[in-house]
Every structure is written in structure tokens, then in C-alpha cells.
């Protein structure tokens, strides 16, 4: 038996807009320099990745990435400074919640040690 912590953010309309999926997507964008390549690396359609990103940006009120359209010289995507800061803070918060949950789990279920 174990307790699992999942951190998901919802907007004022109770719609999910950020969690582990978008977090992984932003990391993949950082690694590949491209939303399309990031989506492919995750086995996700580009349109779905774009929708996830647009939804998160709309809910947060700031851009997570700056995107340049493709063409002769190619395009690309980079995380904005606000996007990098949001990702860092999300992961710190998520990790703190996981550690707190582990401690509480052992407090309430000591036989599971």
C-alpha cells in the first residue's frame, strides 16, 4: 500500500490547466527547442500539445513559451523567463507536497515502514 501525491492546478472555472503532463511537455520543449518535436517525443499530436500549452498560458495570464513559425529557416519554441520560473516553482511545490505526504503517510500508517 502507498499514498500517491498528484498536483494539479485548476482555473476559476474548475478546469484543469497544469499538472505533470504540461510539466513534461515544457521540459521536452526545453530539450528539443520545438513544440512539434516535444509533442512527438511524448507520442502526442501537435494540435493537442498546442491546446495544452495555450490553455495553461490563458489560465496563468502569461506566456510559457515564445514560438517562431517554421518555414525556410525553420521555427522553434523556447521557454520564456516566466515559463522557466513557473516550471521551477511548480516542481518545488510538487516535491514539497510529495515529501509532506510521505511523512504524513508514515505518521498515520506506521506499520507501512
Amino acid at each position: 500500500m502507498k499514498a500517491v501525491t498528484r498536483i494539479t492546478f485548476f482555473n476559476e472555472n474548475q478546469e484543469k490547466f497544469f499538472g505533470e503532463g504540461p510539466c513534461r511537455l515544457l521540459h521536452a520543449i526545453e530539450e528539443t527547442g520545438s513544440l512539434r518535436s516535444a509533442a512527438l517525443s511524448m507520442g502526442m499530436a501537435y494540435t493537442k500539445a498546442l491546446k495544452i500549452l495555450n490553455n495553461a498560458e490563458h489560465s496563468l495570464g502569461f506566456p510559457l513559451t515564445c514560438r517562431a513559425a517554421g518555414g525556410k529557416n525553420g521555427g522553434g519554441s523556447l521557454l520564456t523567463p516566466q515559463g522557466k520560473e513557473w516550471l521551477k516553482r511548480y516542481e518545488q511545490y510538487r516535491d514539497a507536497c510529495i515529501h509532506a505526504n510521505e511523512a504524513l503517510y508514515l505518521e498515520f500508517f506506521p506499520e507501512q515502514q
Side-chain angles (χ1 to χ4, degrees):
M1 177 170 75
K2 68 179 183 174
V4 177
T5 303
R6 289 191 175 93
I7 302 302
T8 304
F9 285 87
F10 292 80
N11 63 21
E12 62 279 350
N13 297 323
Q14 300 303 309
E15 298 163 335
K16 182 169 86 167
F17 75 88
F18 204 87
E20 282 304 302
C23 177
R24 287 192 344 260
L25 180 61
L26 289 179
H27 278 295
I29 291 168
E30 268 192 314
E31 291 170 15
T32 65
S34 162
L35 177 59
R36 185 173 302 281
S37 295
L40 286 173
S41 75
M42 294 177 68
M44 179 187 305
Y46 170 79
T47 52
K48 181 175 181 178
L50 184 59
K51 182 179 177 182
I52 288 169
L53 194 54
N54 286 337
N55 184 39
E57 290 176 337
H58 177 75
S59 294
L60 290 168
F62 58 84
L64 295 168
T65 65
C66 53
R67 300 181 288 275
K72 183 178 178 182
N73 297 322
S77 295
L78 299 171
L79 268 59
T80 63
Q82 281 182 300
K84 287 181 182 184
E85 180 64 20
W86 167 259
L87 184 58
K88 181 180 113 183
R89 289 172 59 200
Y90 166 80
E91 291 181 318
Q92 288 173 333
Y93 176 70
R94 177 203 60 203
D95 293 347
C97 289
I98 289 169
H99 292 311
N101 183 42
E102 288 169 353
L104 288 169
Y105 176 74
L106 293 175
E107 181 181 328
F108 285 90
F109 301 98
E111 68 277 5
Q112 296 301 315
Q113 290 187 17

